């Protein structure tokens, strides 16, 4: 049986792959696992202690629940809340919020668990369930596996009477998160005065909050795709579709464009010329800034295997060490915690500032980039010159059996042939997606033409070998 959890929670087409019944059972199993761990000493995971709320004999688990704007989030939230409360957990619903808000509120309130209903950058029919442990960190693999095992058996935690969980709403909890974000600015709240910013909210969870935070920071803000219309979440907008943001930046003569995805755990940017500044470039800008301030933990930044070779070259020139992990901000975070590093992230725009957050946070990232522009008095295109990107082509191959990507001899031979053709001047990465039903083919090469040619050739092999 395939593992239920992917690289970022449970995800699939709502009411087909991800049903209300499954959401209810997952929530119930999560409470049972939290209660079981509450009652026994915790063992470190990969040498790292697992944070949890203080326990006592009569402790009732407390769970924070948020969601993005997808219509399916309404029934999935109802199912999750039913599963939590029927298993004896008290539930606090905080409304439509970015994923990082759930992480923050869990940590600040001492809650035992956080649940976010979102499929992040995926299209509207999809939805997902992300779980956060006490302390606001994503659950380790071993805890997710334990929850899956509980789902496979009978769920037995069924309190009655006064022992059933209670449910309440508290949308004011987001206010502390806003104050926290503003306090993270290098020069303090209000320091973005004079910057004109276009922010693309992808019709998602940050539609209200992102413009509010940027205005409170002093920026002149033009909000794009910020109606909060969940039917159009990520639809030709946000961090996965940057064309309308580029056009808006040029039209309004803005200094910078910021793009979030549906749950605002990502941030990509566009400079005043309309050129894209991706997650690698954002990481490079922030790594140098933190190093200058003496705030870059152990002089190291953590990235994934998808990071551009140009990033590695730039960090070497800046005297900054690089640690590489598998794809997924959870793996970045695990490496950061184990090595006491303060900055890490992904090319896709997930960036973790461990001093300020326990997960990737698009709004926090935007403030750090804009704060650096204000601090240096330089436009984004100048700051982005800290690294030169090697031409990189990414092709997503759909309609194939991604589970066989790692075992196909035909694919292995095709990758070896492409690597030999590059001769050390680039690299090839072929991997199944952890969040979508597809296989990703990535090629870096000295020229765009060579990268495109090799990527298309490998995509054809994937289509043929895994159909």
């Amino acid at each position: 049986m395939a593992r239920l959890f992917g690289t970022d929670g449970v995800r699939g087409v709502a009411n087909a792959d991800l049903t209300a019944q499954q959401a209810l059972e997952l929530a119930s199993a999560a409470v049972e696992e939290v209660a079981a761990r509450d009652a026994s000493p915790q063992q470190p995971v990969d040498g790292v202690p697992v944070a949890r709320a203080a326990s006592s004999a009569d402790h009732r688990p407390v769970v924070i629940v948020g969601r993005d704007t997808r219509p399916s989030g309404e029934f999935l939230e109802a199912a999750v809340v039913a599963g939590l409360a029927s298993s004896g957990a008290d539930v606090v619903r905080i409304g439509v919020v970015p994923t990082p808000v759930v992480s923050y509120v869990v940590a600040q309130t001492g809650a035992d668990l956080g649940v976010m209903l979102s499929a992040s950058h995926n299209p509207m029919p999809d939805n997902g369930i992300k779980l956060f442990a006490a302390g606001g960190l994503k659950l380790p693999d071993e805890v997710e596996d334990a929850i899956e095992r509980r789902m496979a058996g009978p769920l037995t935690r069924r309190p009655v009477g006064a022992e059933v969980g209670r449910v309440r709403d508290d949308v004011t909890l987001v206010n502390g998160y806003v104050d926290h974000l503003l306090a993270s600015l290098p020069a303090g709240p209000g320091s973005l005065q004079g910057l004109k910013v276009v922010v693309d909210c992808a019709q998602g969870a940050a539609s209200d909050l992102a413009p509010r935070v940027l205005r409170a920071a002093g920026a002149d803000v033009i909000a794009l795709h910020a109606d909060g219309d969940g039917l159009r979440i990520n639809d030709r907008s946000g961090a996965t579709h940057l064309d309308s943001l580029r056009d808006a930046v040029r039209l309004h003569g803005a200094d910078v464009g910021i793009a979030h995805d549906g749950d605002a755990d990502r941030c990509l940017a566009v400079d005043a010329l309309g050129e894209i500044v991706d997650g690698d470039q954002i990481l490079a800008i922030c790594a140098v800034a933190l190093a200058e301030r003496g705030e870059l933990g152990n002089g190291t930044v953590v990235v994934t295997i998808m990071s551009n070779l140009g990033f590695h070259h730039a960090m070497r020139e800046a005297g900054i060490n690089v640690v590489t992990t598998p794809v997924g901000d959870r793996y970045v975070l695990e490496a950061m915690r184990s090595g006491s590093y303060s900055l890490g992230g992904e090319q896709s725009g997930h960036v973790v500032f461990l001093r300020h957050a326990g997960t990737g946070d698009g709004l926090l990232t935007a403030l750090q980039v804009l704060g650096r522009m204000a601090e240096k008095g330089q436009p984004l295109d100048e700051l982005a010159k800290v690294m030169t990107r090697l031409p990189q082509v990414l092709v997503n191959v759909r309609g194939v059996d991604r589970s066989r990507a790692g075992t196909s001899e035909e694919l292995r031979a095709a990758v070896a042939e492409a690597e030999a053709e590059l001769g050390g001047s680039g690299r090839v990465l072929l991997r199944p997606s952890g969040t979508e039903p597809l296989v990703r083919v990535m090629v870096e090469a000295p020229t765009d033409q060579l990268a495109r040619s090799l990527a298309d050739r490998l995509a054809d092999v994937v289509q043929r070998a895994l159909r």
Side-chain angles (χ1 to χ4, degrees):
M1 179 175 156
R3 190 173 188 269
L4 179 64
F5 287 90
T7 56
D8 197 15
V10 177
R11 199 173 295 189
V13 178
N15 224 24
D17 304 321
L18 180 58
T19 65
Q21 182 66 30
Q22 187 180 44
L24 186 150
E25 292 173 356
L26 175 59
S28 295
V31 172
E32 288 197 0
E33 184 61 24
V34 166
R37 288 172 177 267
D38 226 20
S40 62
Q42 287 290 284
Q43 298 299 317
V45 177
D46 295 331
V48 179
V50 178
R52 63 174 188 180
S55 63
S56 66
D58 59 353
H59 177 68
R60 287 160 62 112
V62 176
V63 186
I64 306 298
V65 178
R67 63 180 178 88
D68 70 17
T69 57
R70 295 165 208 267
S72 60
E74 296 170 3
F75 82 77
L76 286 173
E77 180 187 58
V80 164
V81 170
L84 296 169
S86 68
S87 298
D90 289 335
V91 181
V92 182
R93 294 182 299 203
I94 60 174
V96 173
V97 294
T99 290
V101 177
V102 173
S103 171
Y104 175 83
V105 172
V106 168
Q108 291 300 304
T109 61
D112 299 84
L113 189 69
V115 182
M116 178 68 186
L117 286 304
S118 176
S120 193
H121 63 283
N122 285 29
M124 184 274 291
D126 290 358
N127 214 324
I129 301 174
K130 302 183 183 185
L131 299 180
F132 292 89
L137 303 177
K138 290 183 179 178
L139 295 183
D141 286 346
E142 76 159 26
V143 179
E144 291 181 343
D145 291 341
I147 291 171
E148 287 198 36
R149 288 193 295 271
R150 289 184 182 276
M151 290 179 68
L155 297 170
T156 58
R157 189 177 169 90
R158 288 290 178 264
V160 296
E163 299 305 312
V164 300
R166 305 300 300 274
V167 182
R168 65 184 178 91
D169 297 315
D170 191 347
V171 297
T172 67
L173 288 171
V174 73
N175 295 333
Y177 171 76
V178 172
D179 293 340
H180 171 70
L181 288 183
L182 295 174
S184 77
L185 278 164
S191 59
L192 302 188
Q193 197 77 33
L195 281 179
K196 180 183 282 191
V197 181
V198 179
V199 58
D200 186 342
C201 303
Q203 302 292 4
S207 294
D208 173 71
L209 202 57
R212 170 184 164 188
V213 167
L214 292 172
R215 289 180 179 124
D220 177 8
V221 180
I222 297 124
L224 190 66
H225 303 125
D227 301 325
D229 179 357
L231 290 169
R232 295 184 290 146
I233 192 170
N234 298 317
D235 183 11
R236 296 184 297 277
S237 64
T240 53
H241 303 279
L242 293 167
D243 286 347
S244 60
L245 177 61
R246 299 173 74 184
D247 291 342
V249 167
R250 296 187 189 106
L251 175 66
H252 294 283
D255 298 293
V256 60
I258 296 295
H260 300 302
D261 60 338
D263 70 336
D265 62 354
R266 293 189 185 196
C267 172
L268 295 180
V270 171
D271 67 27
L273 305 175
E275 297 300 316
I276 295 170
V277 178
D278 69 11
D280 284 337
Q281 293 165 295
I282 288 172
L283 274 167
I285 291 167
C286 293
V288 170
L290 290 177
E292 284 183 5
R293 300 183 201 126
E295 297 175 358
L296 186 65
N298 288 326
T300 298
V301 61
V302 181
V303 296
T304 75
I305 54 175
M306 294 293 287
S307 185
N308 193 277
L309 282 177
F311 174 84
H312 292 267
H313 297 160
M315 294 299 96
R316 185 169 60 246
E317 291 175 10
I320 295 172
N321 300 319
V322 179
V323 169
T324 304
T325 76
V327 172
D329 64 342
R330 58 180 300 160
Y331 302 116
V332 170
L333 181 59
E334 287 171 6
M336 292 174 67
R337 293 178 67 207
S338 63
S340 298
Y341 308 131
S342 57
L343 178 66
E346 300 183 278
Q347 186 184 79
S348 60
H350 287 122
V351 181
V352 180
F353 295 87
L354 199 52
R355 177 183 173 190
H356 302 293
T359 189
D361 188 329
L363 276 66
L364 174 63
T365 302
L367 288 180
Q368 301 313 300
V369 172
L370 297 172
R372 182 62 168 174
M373 292 173 63
E375 178 184 39
K376 299 294 286 185
Q378 292 181 323
L380 185 56
D381 64 302
E382 284 296 320
L383 293 176
K385 289 177 182 177
V386 68
M387 69 166 278
T388 301
R389 298 181 75 255
L390 200 66
Q392 184 184 81
V393 172
L394 177 66
V395 179
N396 294 324
V397 186
R398 300 179 182 273
V400 296
D401 182 1
R402 59 178 173 170
S403 68
R404 295 192 287 118
T407 58
S408 169
E409 289 298 329
E410 185 177 358
L411 279 186
R412 188 175 292 117
V415 169
E417 181 180 343
E419 289 175 335
E421 192 168 335
L422 287 169
S425 63
R427 65 176 178 140
V428 175
L429 181 63
L430 189 151
R431 68 175 189 88
S433 170
T435 58
E436 298 178 79
L438 52 85
V439 172
R440 302 192 195 279
V441 177
M442 189 271 283
V443 177
E444 289 175 339
T447 66
D448 284 310
Q449 183 178 2
L450 179 57
R452 171 58 63 183
S453 173
L454 291 177
D456 287 344
R457 191 171 80 198
L458 286 169
D460 289 341
V461 177
V462 170
Q463 193 74 55
R464 182 174 65 248
L466 302 183
R467 63 187 172 193

